[in-house]
Amino acid sequence: MKAIQIVAETGPEQALALVELPDPEPAHALTPGEGVVVDVHAAGVSFPELLQTRGQYQLKPPLPFVPGSEVAGVVRSAPPGAAVSPGERVAAFCALGGWAETAVAPAFFTFPLPEELDFAQGAALILNYHTAYFALVLRGRLEQGEWVLVHGAGGGVGTAALQVARGMGARTIAVVSTEAKREVAIQAGADHVVMVEDGWREQATEISGGGVDIVLDPVGGDRFTDSLRSLREDGRLLVVGFTGGAIPEVKVNRLLLRNISVVGAGWGAYVMGKPDLNREIGAAIARLIEGGFIRPVVGGRFPFERAGEALLALDERRATGKVVLAVREG
Ligand SMILES: NC(=O)c1ccc[n+]([C@@H]2O[C@H](COP(=O)([O-])OP(=O)(O)OC[C@H]3O[C@@H](n4cnc5c(N)ncnc54)[C@H](OP(=O)(O)O)[C@@H]3O)[C@@H](O)[C@H]2O)c1
């Protein structure tokens, strides 16, 4: 099979090589001795892969290795008891090995791909949407009618969070940095969109009538303190990522004085050893797809062999929605 390997930790432009490898065994490290084998049609491109080209991600296999945390494709084989069967269209989270014509995922991380979604959308489904649901609903205790402000709202996690929040009955405010990302946030169903450089906090406070209930923050950096200021009483700031570079610090007297919370939301570490929780989140996502709320926005489709360019789009803040690699036709 064809696969993309990371062969050096020299950044997205030089670290990748297109290689020919034997097909993988039907076994995954998280479920030793068994796994769902998937013929990959589309593979997701995300920050972990970008960081791995620089040796900066926590998951650090020895070089060379095939990166790729999630895929969509058709099941070739499945272990007994799996909820999917050969020939079925699926979305699967494999953590590694997804940038290949054939990949292996744990059965508990493999979900039927509904007809409403194409393979590219399927490759956008697990990392971002499961994270969005986990952060908003399980960690953030989102309630119907609440106001949710989403930073980086034109990106992968951001567009997913807008759709999940809306599906759970929330009202949303998207914060973005460019006109192109404004369009993407609107396409993702944002109720309101404000520009970062345009007094976003004042606008959000006005739109929400005094403050938002939840801020979902994949960006971090210098807008963190203003995010705290934009919360109303009982508000929750969900820490999801740090694309802005700096990891913010909080003076906890702000939390005491305003009765607000900062909540960490690290999906992978929380769900990895909990098959039942993954199935529960997968079922909730399936309901939101069925209800028409979830339609992943695919902003960039790159041929398999141009994976480096796909990573550069993320690195240079140009990516919109989810970036995917087309591995097979269809
Ligand atoms: N906690 C978890 O479990 C979890 C799960 C998945 C992903 N994540 C993390 O969430 C973050 C977002 O991932 P994503 O896939 O949504 O990325 P993405 O599609 O590239 O979107 C990230 C957004 O961050 C904003 N941003 C601000 N400064 C940036 C910079 N210097 N470089 C790049 N982007 C910048 C951009 O929005 P504007 O230009 O509009 O500001 C961009 O659209 C990553 O850090 C990822 O590792 C965390």
Side-chain angles (χ1 to χ4, degrees):
M1 66 170 188
K2 285 193 172 52
I4 305 274
Q5 280 186 326
I6 292 182
V7 296
E9 290 171 345
T10 45
E13 281 163 298
Q14 287 161 3
L16 304 179
L18 183 62
V19 295
E20 196 69 41
L21 293 176
D23 280 6
E25 295 295 319
H28 191 276
L30 289 172
T31 49
E34 62 175 51
V36 180
V37 179
V38 179
D39 284 326
V40 178
H41 284 247
V45 178
S46 321
F47 260 79
E49 287 89 44
L50 174 62
L51 297 174
Q52 280 167 340
T53 66
R54 300 196 170 107
Q56 292 172 348
Y57 192 62
Q58 61 261 33
L59 191 57
K60 244 183 172 187
L63 296 173
F65 68 94
V66 179
S69 49
E70 63 184 328
V71 300
V74 176
V75 174
R76 185 189 289 184
S77 69
V84 297
S85 34
E88 196 171 346
R89 297 165 82 247
V90 291
F93 186 82
C94 40
L96 289 171
W99 287 9
E101 287 180 319
T102 306
V104 185
F108 68 78
F109 262 146
T110 307
F111 304 92
L113 181 60
E115 285 304 321
E116 294 93 324
L117 305 188
D118 63 22
F119 285 119
Q121 289 173 310
L125 203 53
I126 300 184
L127 182 60
N128 293 341
Y129 283 86
H130 283 228
T131 294
Y133 185 88
F134 169 73
L136 289 167
V137 179
L138 302 183
R139 301 290 293 137
R141 313 269 173 223
L142 174 63
E143 287 183 19
Q144 201 162 0
E146 287 194 316
W147 280 101
V148 175
L149 181 144
V150 178
H151 285 297
V157 170
T159 48
L162 290 172
Q163 294 185 353
V164 170
R166 189 158 163 266
M168 302 305 295
R171 294 168 288 179
T172 57
I173 301 172
V175 182
V176 296
S177 67
T178 65
E179 279 303 323
K181 288 177 184 172
R182 176 199 286 275
E183 290 305 316
V184 171
I186 291 169
Q187 198 188 335
D191 292 316
H192 303 266
V193 186
V194 298
M195 304 295 278
V196 187
E197 300 296 338
D198 217 4
W200 65 268
R201 178 171 76 88
E202 291 76 9
Q203 287 196 57
T205 304
E206 194 181 324
I207 291 166
S208 60
V212 300
D213 301 283
I214 287 183
V215 172
L216 185 138
D217 185 15
V219 177
D222 55 11
R223 50 179 107 164
F224 189 81
T225 304
D226 270 347
S227 290
L228 290 178
R229 291 190 181 115
S230 73
L231 290 172
R232 67 172 75 218
E233 192 174 82
D234 283 326
R236 293 86 79 199
L237 193 164
L238 308 178
V239 179
V240 173
F242 310 104
T243 52
I247 297 180
E249 293 181 3
V250 56
K251 289 208 166 70
V252 294
N253 64 324
R254 289 184 191 280
L255 311 184
L256 179 152
L257 292 170
R258 311 249 336 278
N259 285 298
I260 55 177
S261 310
V262 176
V263 180
W267 170 76
Y270 194 96
V271 303
M272 210 53 83
K274 302 186 180 80
D276 288 345
L277 181 63
N278 285 298
R279 285 189 270 268
E280 187 190 310
I281 296 174
I285 296 297
R287 284 194 297 276
L288 291 172
I289 295 170
E290 204 185 331
F293 295 105
I294 289 182
R295 292 291 181 272
V297 180
V298 176
R301 293 171 201 246
F302 289 80
F304 196 32
E305 58 280 6
R306 284 170 46 201
E309 287 172 50
L311 288 177
L312 270 182
L314 253 67
D315 198 27
E316 294 170 354
R317 204 173 170 175
R318 286 184 279 114
T320 55
K322 179 75 174 185
V323 176
V324 301
L325 302 179
V327 180
R328 277 186 174 78
E329 291 298 316

